[in-house]
Amino acid sequence: MAKADYYETLGVARGADAETIKKAYRKLAMQYHPDRNPGDKEAERKFKDVNEAYGVLRDDDKRAAYDRFGHAAFDGAGGGGGGGRGPGFGAGNFDFADIFDEMFGDFMGGRGGGRSAARGADLRYNMEISLTEAFRGKQATIRVASTAACDVCHGSGAEKGTSPKTCPTCKGAGKVRASQGFFTIERTCPSCGGQGQTIDKPCRTCHGQGRVQKDKTLSVSIPAGVEDGTRIRLAGEGETGMRGAPSGDLYIFVSIKSHSIFEREGADTFARVPIPMLTAALGGTIEVPTVDGTMARVTIPAGTQPGHRFRLRSKGMSVLRSAQRGDMYIEAAVEVPVNLTKKQKELLQEFEDAGGRSSHSPQSDSFFAKAKKLGEDAT
C-alpha cells in the first residue's frame, strides 16, 4: 500500500512555513492521541502517521530531500524488504517523545524531570480606589481568603508522628511510563497524583492536603500614577501549595472610580468649567480645582468662546515611577445667565439695539454667511 503524502497527512500545502506545519501537527496529535482514543486502532495509526510526517517536515534537510525525491529519499539500499530504511535521512530516526517535549512541554508531564509539584493556585483581588488615591498612591490593608500550611503536620499531610513514604508505583518520580505500540508515553502517576509520595495516615486536620483554609491579611502599596486596569503581582501570596509545594501568586486588579469633575487620559486630566458670560466677553480670572486638591488661577481673555481649551502644565496626574506630572486641560463652558431682572433685560436689549449681536458674534456671522451662500447656489 502506497504511503500517504506527508503534506496531505498534516493537511498543509507544500509551501507551508514551519509554524504552520507545527500548528497542524499539534492539532492532529491532540486529536488522535491514544489517551483521548483508548483502544481505537485507527486513531493510533493516524497518530503514528502524523508523528512520522512531522518528524520529516520539521527538519529542513529531511524536508528538502522529501520534496525532491518523495518517500524514495528514505528508502535505504540495504534496508531490504518493504519498509526498511537506511541510515542518514531515515524517516524513523527520531524519537516521538522528543517531538512531544518540543511541542507540548508539560502537556504530557515532560521527560525525566522528577516529580511534578502541586503548586498553589493563583488568587485574584479586585481593588477600587479614587482618582485622588491614584494620584497620591495608597498603602492599603487587604484580607484575602486563602490557604496556609497546616500547623499540626507542618505541611507534610501526614498524621503527627508519621511521615509520607516514597510512592512504590513511580519510585518517587511522580510519573510513570507506559508503552503503546512502538512509542512510550509518560503520565502523572495515578497512585500518588504526581506527588512522588503516599501517606498511610493522613493528617486529621488537613486530611492529607498539608494546608488548611485561612484568611490572610496583607499590606499592599499602590504606587502614585497607577492607571485603571493595572495588575499588581504579589509573588508567593496566593494559595499554599500541597505538602510543601510552592505557593501561587496573588494578583491585585486596580480599578479607579469615576470623578465628579475630572476625566483622565493617561497622565492628563480634563475638566469642563462653566465661565460666566460677562467674564468670557470682558475677560477676567477664575480659580479651578486640580487633582492634587489645590486651586489654580486661570486668566480668561476677553472674547473667550465656548469650547476653548486652556492648558495648565504639570497640573495633571502623577506619572508612574516618575517625579513628573501630566497636564490639566480646561474646556470653557460659557454660561448664559438665567432669571434676569427687568433692568438686566433692558440693558441687554440696549446692547442688541446698539448692534451688539451682529457686530460682536463672529461665529454667528460666519455661519449665516455660509448658509446664505448655500441658498444662493441652490437657486
Side-chain angles (χ1 to χ4, degrees):
M1 182 177 177
K3 291 180 66 68
D5 181 86
Y6 286 149
Y7 291 100
E8 291 180 1
T9 298
L10 295 181
V12 297
R14 282 190 166 268
D17 58 23
E19 187 62 28
T20 301
I21 291 174
K22 181 186 287 188
K23 288 180 180 179
Y25 166 72
R26 179 167 186 158
K27 179 180 178 181
L28 292 171
M30 294 279 282
Q31 180 180 348
Y32 296 120
H33 194 279
D35 281 354
R36 294 191 172 188
N37 305 275
D40 188 335
K41 296 297 182 182
E42 180 64 17
E44 183 176 334
R45 183 188 63 79
K46 290 182 178 179
F47 184 68
K48 171 193 170 187
D49 290 344
V50 297
N51 273 286
E52 181 177 325
Y54 182 65
V56 171
L57 299 185
R58 71 170 183 154
D59 185 288
D60 291 340
D61 292 333
K62 291 180 182 180
R63 183 179 179 183
Y66 178 74
D67 288 344
R68 185 173 182 183
F69 302 109
H71 294 294
F74 310 112
D75 291 338
R85 293 183 175 93
F89 277 127
N93 293 342
F94 58 87
D95 188 338
F96 287 119
D98 287 340
I99 297 178
F100 260 60
D101 281 348
E102 173 193 335
M103 294 298 299
F104 301 107
D106 31 73
F107 170 71
M108 293 303 300
R111 297 176 63 222
R115 77 182 189 187
S116 58
R119 178 181 179 272
D122 293 335
L123 299 178
R124 171 174 179 150
Y125 185 91
N126 296 325
M127 178 183 291
E128 188 179 54
I129 63 175
S130 68
L131 188 66
T132 302
E133 289 171 331
F135 168 78
R136 299 183 184 281
K138 179 181 180 179
Q139 196 71 28
T141 300
I142 63 174
R143 192 174 182 85
V144 182
S146 183
T147 57
C150 176
D151 292 333
V152 176
C153 66
H154 304 290
S156 71
E159 186 66 45
K160 189 174 183 180
T162 67
S163 59
K165 296 180 180 179
T166 301
C167 175
T169 303
C170 65
K171 305 297 188 293
K175 303 169 187 176
V176 293
R177 285 191 169 194
S179 296
Q180 294 190 3
F182 60 91
F183 55 91
T184 300
I185 294 178
E186 241 177 22
R187 295 189 181 92
T188 299
C189 177
S191 299
C192 65
Q195 293 296 310
Q197 296 177 327
T198 57
I199 297 176
D200 293 334
K201 294 183 178 181
C203 171
R204 296 178 184 178
T205 302
C206 66
H207 307 290
Q209 296 290 308
R211 59 186 183 181
V212 293
Q213 293 294 323
K214 187 175 182 180
D215 288 351
K216 183 185 298 186
T217 301
L218 299 170
S219 180
V220 182
S221 179
I222 306 299
V226 67
E227 296 194 29
D228 189 76
T230 295
R231 185 182 72 170
I232 299 174
R233 173 176 174 260
L234 299 182
E237 296 295 352
E239 282 195 348
T240 302
M242 290 181 60
R243 304 180 196 170
S247 298
D249 300 330
L250 172 65
Y251 290 91
I252 298 175
F253 287 78
V254 179
S255 61
I256 300 176
K257 301 175 188 176
S258 59
H259 197 274
S260 59
I261 294 178
F262 301 111
E263 292 185 5
R264 177 186 183 182
E265 289 185 14
D268 296 331
T269 56
F270 298 80
R272 192 168 182 268
V273 179
I275 298 176
M277 183 185 71
L278 291 179
T279 302
L282 303 177
T285 59
I286 61 171
E287 286 193 337
V288 297
T290 65
V291 72
D292 61 11
T294 62
M295 302 296 289
R297 183 180 293 269
V298 181
T299 300
I300 307 298
T304 294
Q305 298 298 309
H308 181 81
R309 182 173 287 187
F310 299 90
R311 178 184 182 186
L312 281 65
R313 295 182 182 274
S314 300
K315 292 295 184 180
M317 292 292 295
S318 304
V319 177
L320 191 64
R321 300 184 183 88
S322 171
Q324 296 181 338
R325 288 177 60 179
D327 299 329
M328 177 178 174
Y329 293 88
I330 297 172
E331 180 184 336
V334 178
E335 190 173 24
V336 177
V338 296
N339 301 323
L340 298 175
T341 65
K342 181 179 179 181
K343 178 63 175 176
Q344 290 170 329
K345 291 179 181 179
E346 290 175 353
L347 290 172
L348 287 176
Q349 188 62 53
E350 289 180 17
F351 174 76
E352 182 177 7
D353 293 342
R357 176 178 294 180
S358 60
S359 303
H360 305 288
S361 302
Q363 292 186 20
S364 296
D365 293 344
S366 174
F367 176 82
F368 288 110
K370 292 175 181 177
K372 181 179 180 182
K373 187 174 186 306
L374 285 175
E376 292 173 349
D377 293 342
T379 57

